[in-house]
Amino acid sequence: MTFCLNFIIIFTEFHEMKTAFIGHRQIFAKTLPQRLIEAIKAEIDNGCLSFTMGTHGEFDSLALSVCRQLRNEHPDIKIEVVLTSLHTIEKNYEWDCIPYSDVSTVMYDIEDAHYKQQITLSNRQMLDTCDTLICYVDENAYRSGAKTAMRYAEKRGLKIVNLWREQDKPFYGMTKEQVDEYWKNLSEQILSHKK
């Protein structure tokens, strides 16, 4: 019994807390950056200095940007970017640009998985190393990899901080008629530019 208690105490003392970020590819909320800053600062105040995120959407990009910004105030912050494939860099950057030179990168052994499964597998492996998930997930979304990852984190017992708000929906507060009018006007604008 003494050995077990000593192990728990030692593990707790040396366990480095780590927070992951997962969210929808597109974000619409203008207030999300401030919410994200506040959530990350709260984790820093709780002793977390290690943060990890992917590369597949606007939320990932925002999380990386905010972590880089907060590293100016907290130079001990460790930032890790999870690559699902080297093609991620090839598609988005010129060869003479090194996009992640100021952060660590990791790539899990998922290259042989079907490309549609790579992000899911990568998210699970990333979450397996974390204590907290800061996410931007609409729980009412029909099909969503971000929602699947959040459910996985819940099953693993991670602390979940979901920054999604119902007001973040692009048509929040609009009537069906207003939404229909919006789409009609947008379609007309698009068609007029094609002429």
Side-chain angles (χ1 to χ4, degrees):
M1 183 71 168
T2 303
F3 170 75
C4 189
L5 287 175
N6 287 340
F7 175 75
I8 291 170
I9 291 168
I10 290 169
F11 178 76
T12 305
E13 287 177 10
F14 295 107
H15 174 72
E16 183 177 276
M17 294 173 57
K18 192 173 190 181
T19 298
F21 300 93
I22 291 178
H24 296 300
R25 285 184 189 265
Q26 292 182 307
I27 53 178
F28 302 102
K30 293 180 176 121
T31 61
L32 183 59
Q34 187 57 42
R35 283 186 263 161
L36 185 57
I37 289 169
E38 291 167 10
I40 295 170
K41 283 184 175 182
E43 290 309 308
I44 292 169
D45 290 344
N46 287 331
C48 180
L49 293 174
S50 187
F51 299 92
T52 184
M53 70 282 301
T55 61
H56 288 279
E58 292 176 7
F59 186 72
D60 291 334
S61 296
L62 179 61
L64 177 57
S65 174
V66 170
C67 284
R68 283 173 166 158
Q69 173 188 336
L70 289 175
R71 193 169 47 189
N72 294 329
E73 298 171 35
H74 305 276
D76 293 340
I77 287 179
K78 296 177 189 167
I79 304 170
E80 177 182 81
V81 174
V82 177
L83 305 172
T84 52
S85 167
L86 291 177
H87 300 292
T88 306
I89 297 173
E90 291 173 12
K91 285 192 293 188
N92 297 323
Y93 299 96
E94 298 295 326
W95 281 107
D96 60 346
C97 171
I98 303 172
Y100 305 116
S101 61
D102 62 330
V103 299
S104 332
T105 57
V106 64
M107 192 164 123
Y108 300 117
D109 187 19
I110 58 169
E111 280 287 312
D112 293 334
H114 189 273
Y115 75 95
K116 288 187 176 182
Q117 281 294 309
Q118 287 181 344
I119 295 173
T120 301
L121 293 171
S122 184
N123 283 345
R124 286 183 177 181
Q125 290 187 41
M126 179 173 67
L127 291 168
D128 287 344
T129 68
C130 293
D131 307 284
T132 301
L133 171 63
I134 296 176
C135 57
Y136 182 71
V137 177
D138 177 359
E139 295 186 55
N140 296 318
Y142 172 62
R143 290 178 50 176
S144 163
K147 185 168 92 172
T148 300
M150 185 179 79
R151 296 287 179 245
Y152 180 79
E154 287 172 344
K155 288 178 188 172
R156 302 262 314 144
L158 273 68
K159 174 184 167 187
I160 310 288
V161 178
N162 191 354
L163 302 177
W164 173 265
R165 303 290 176 267
E166 196 64 28
Q167 300 89 327
D168 294 345
K169 290 186 176 180
F171 303 115
Y172 177 78
M174 293 174 80
T175 65
K176 181 183 178 340
E177 292 78 21
Q178 290 170 321
V179 172
D180 291 344
E181 184 68 22
Y182 170 85
W183 285 116
K184 179 183 168 203
N185 291 338
L186 182 63
S187 297
E188 290 172 0
Q189 287 176 1
I190 291 169
L191 291 174
S192 70
H193 286 338
K194 287 187 175 185
K195 292 179 183 180

